[in-house]
Amino acid sequence: MSGDYGDNPNAIVPAGTNIVTLDVLRRGKGDVLFPRGAVGVIVNAPVDTTHAYRVRFLDGSEHSLRRVEFAIQKEFRREGMERDVLEDRNLYDYVIYRCEVGSRTYGLANEDSDWDRRGIYLPPAQMQWSLYGVPEQLEGSTTDAIYWELQKFIRLALKANPNILETLYTPMTEHVSPLAQELLDMRNIFLSTLVYTTYNGYVMSQFRKLQKDLENHGEIRWKHAMHLIRLLLSGITVLREGFVVVHVGEYREKLLTIRRGELPWEEINVWRLALHKEFDAALETSPLPERPDYEAANDFLVRARLSMVKSYE
C-alpha cells in the first residue's frame, strides 16, 4: 500500500475519505449490519489514534470504526497489484551504463561537490511485461545516483533533455556494457534543433527563479545564475558543432566567479542577453536536423528489449 496516511498507522485519515470495512460490522455481538468490504465515507475524524472514526454508509447510517477496522478504498482496490520488484531481484544488477555528471564533469567542482552518478538500466523481459511492471528510474535514498529505465532514458534524450544529453556525452564513464556502447556510438541521433527549444525552456525557468529571488530577497542564488550561463554556452555549442561539450573549458574561471558572487547581477545579465543572441544565431546556421532520428532510436530500443527476452529463454 502507499499514500501519505495509508501506510502510516499513526496518521489521521481525513474526513471525506472513502473507506472499506475489513471485517463484518455487527450491532454489538448480534445482527450483521454490513459485510466485509462495505463502502463508507469518513464524516468525522478523531484527534488522535486512540479514538474511533465516524463513518457514514450507503444506507445513510453512521457507525464508529477503529483504524484497524477499515482500509482506504483506493488502496484496498489495488492491494496485491503492487509489490516491491526489488524483493525478488536487485534491479541495480541490470544497470548497463553508469557515469559521472555534474560539477565534476563541468570542471566546476569544489571541495563540497557531490559525486553525481547517472545511468541506464534494462530489466529482464518477464519483469517488464509483468502485472507489476518496473519503475521508470532507480533512485538511491543514500546516494546521488539515478538510473533511468532504457525506454524512459531514450524518450528524454529524444526531447533533448540537457541532463540526459550530458549523460550520453560525459567523458567520465564507470561502466559501459556492449549494449550501452552501441547507444553511445549512435548518440548523435538524439541531437536536433529541438535543443534550441528545450534548452531555452530550462534557461527561462531558471531566469524566472532568479527574478523571483531578486524581488523577494534582494539577491540571487549565484549557483543558479552560473548554471543558467553554462546551459546557454552548452546549447550554442551543440547547435554549432553537433556535439555536447560537457566541460566548460575557457569559461571555467568566469563561471566560478559568478558562483562565488563576485560578479554583479547586472553584468551577468548583460552576458546572458548576449548569449541569447548567439543562441538565436546558432539556430539559423545549425547543421542539425529539425528532429531527432526517432526510427533509429526505436529500432535500438526494440533490439535491446529482444536481447532481454533471449536472456530469459
Side-chain angles (χ1 to χ4, degrees):
M1 290 186 180
S2 62
D4 293 338
Y5 41 79
D7 56 4
N8 183 352
N10 295 315
I12 300 300
V13 183
T17 303
N18 289 339
I19 63 92
V20 176
T21 58
L22 294 178
D23 204 347
V24 172
L25 183 61
R26 298 178 182 274
R27 180 181 289 107
K29 295 184 180 180
D31 298 339
V32 173
L33 295 174
F34 298 103
R36 180 182 186 277
V39 175
V41 60
I42 295 173
V43 293
N44 189 29
V47 295
D48 57 48
T49 57
T50 64
H51 293 81
Y53 291 78
R54 194 67 179 169
V55 178
R56 180 180 297 129
F57 290 88
L58 295 178
D59 64 356
S61 64
E62 296 183 5
H63 303 275
S64 295
L65 293 179
R66 300 281 182 177
R67 181 62 183 89
V68 295
E69 296 178 303
F70 68 84
I72 297 166
Q73 186 185 32
K74 65 179 181 180
E75 295 172 352
F76 181 81
R77 285 199 301 257
R78 66 175 180 243
E79 186 174 0
M81 291 182 64
E82 295 182 349
R83 66 181 176 92
D84 187 353
V85 294
L86 296 179
E87 288 179 357
D88 301 325
R89 296 174 187 246
N90 186 353
L91 289 181
Y92 289 95
D93 291 342
Y94 300 99
V95 170
I96 62 173
Y97 179 56
R98 182 169 57 251
C99 66
E100 176 70 21
V101 297
S103 58
R104 295 183 183 277
T105 56
Y106 304 148
L108 299 171
N110 58 28
E111 63 275 7
D112 298 321
S113 297
D114 295 322
W115 289 93
D116 298 316
R117 288 180 172 81
R118 300 290 183 268
I120 305 167
Y121 87 101
L122 179 61
Q126 71 272 26
M127 295 180 71
Q128 181 74 39
W129 296 338
S130 73
L131 175 65
Y132 310 105
V134 294
E136 288 191 327
Q137 66 187 51
L138 307 177
E139 194 165 350
S141 58
T142 58
T143 61
D144 293 317
I146 297 174
Y147 301 98
W148 291 278
E149 200 282 320
L150 180 61
Q151 182 175 342
K152 174 72 175 292
F153 184 90
I154 288 176
R155 290 179 69 87
L156 290 173
L158 290 168
K159 295 176 181 178
N161 179 291
N163 296 320
I164 298 296
L165 294 183
E166 288 169 3
T167 298
L168 285 169
Y169 281 84
T170 177
M172 297 177 65
T173 58
E174 298 178 2
H175 170 65
V176 184
S177 73
L179 191 63
Q181 187 60 55
E182 280 189 54
L183 186 62
L184 294 181
D185 291 342
M186 57 187 287
R187 61 192 176 184
N188 64 298
I189 70 169
F190 298 108
L191 298 185
S192 72
T193 55
L194 274 179
V195 164
Y196 177 79
T197 303
T198 304
Y199 278 46
N200 253 327
Y202 278 78
V203 167
M204 291 307 297
S205 175
Q206 196 73 275
F207 180 64
R208 283 193 294 270
K209 291 177 183 178
L210 293 174
Q211 283 185 310
K212 186 170 290 186
D213 286 340
L214 280 172
E215 293 170 3
N216 296 336
H217 308 292
E219 63 177 5
I220 64 171
R221 282 173 279 190
W222 299 107
K223 185 176 180 180
H224 291 181
M226 178 189 72
H227 283 301
L228 182 154
I229 297 295
R230 183 194 64 78
L231 197 57
L232 275 171
L233 290 167
S234 177
I236 291 167
T237 302
V238 176
L239 290 178
R240 284 177 176 170
E241 302 180 17
F243 190 86
V244 181
V245 177
V246 178
H247 196 282
V248 297
E250 63 183 287
Y251 299 103
R252 179 177 183 273
E253 288 307 319
K254 192 170 182 180
L255 288 169
L256 289 176
T257 299
I258 293 175
R259 185 169 70 183
R260 292 193 296 264
E262 297 172 359
L263 202 63
W265 167 243
E266 292 74 16
E267 191 173 335
I268 298 170
N269 201 34
V270 169
W271 191 14
R272 176 188 71 87
L273 292 171
L275 289 175
H276 268 297
K277 290 182 180 179
E278 285 190 54
F279 202 23
D280 294 344
L283 175 65
E284 295 301 318
T285 59
S286 179
L288 293 176
E290 185 176 341
R291 294 284 173 172
D293 192 336
Y294 298 110
E295 185 174 348
N298 185 67
D299 287 346
F300 175 81
L301 177 61
V302 171
R303 284 192 290 107
R305 290 274 191 257
L306 286 172
S307 74
M308 297 309 286
V309 175
K310 294 174 183 176
S311 69
Y312 177 60
E313 292 174 342

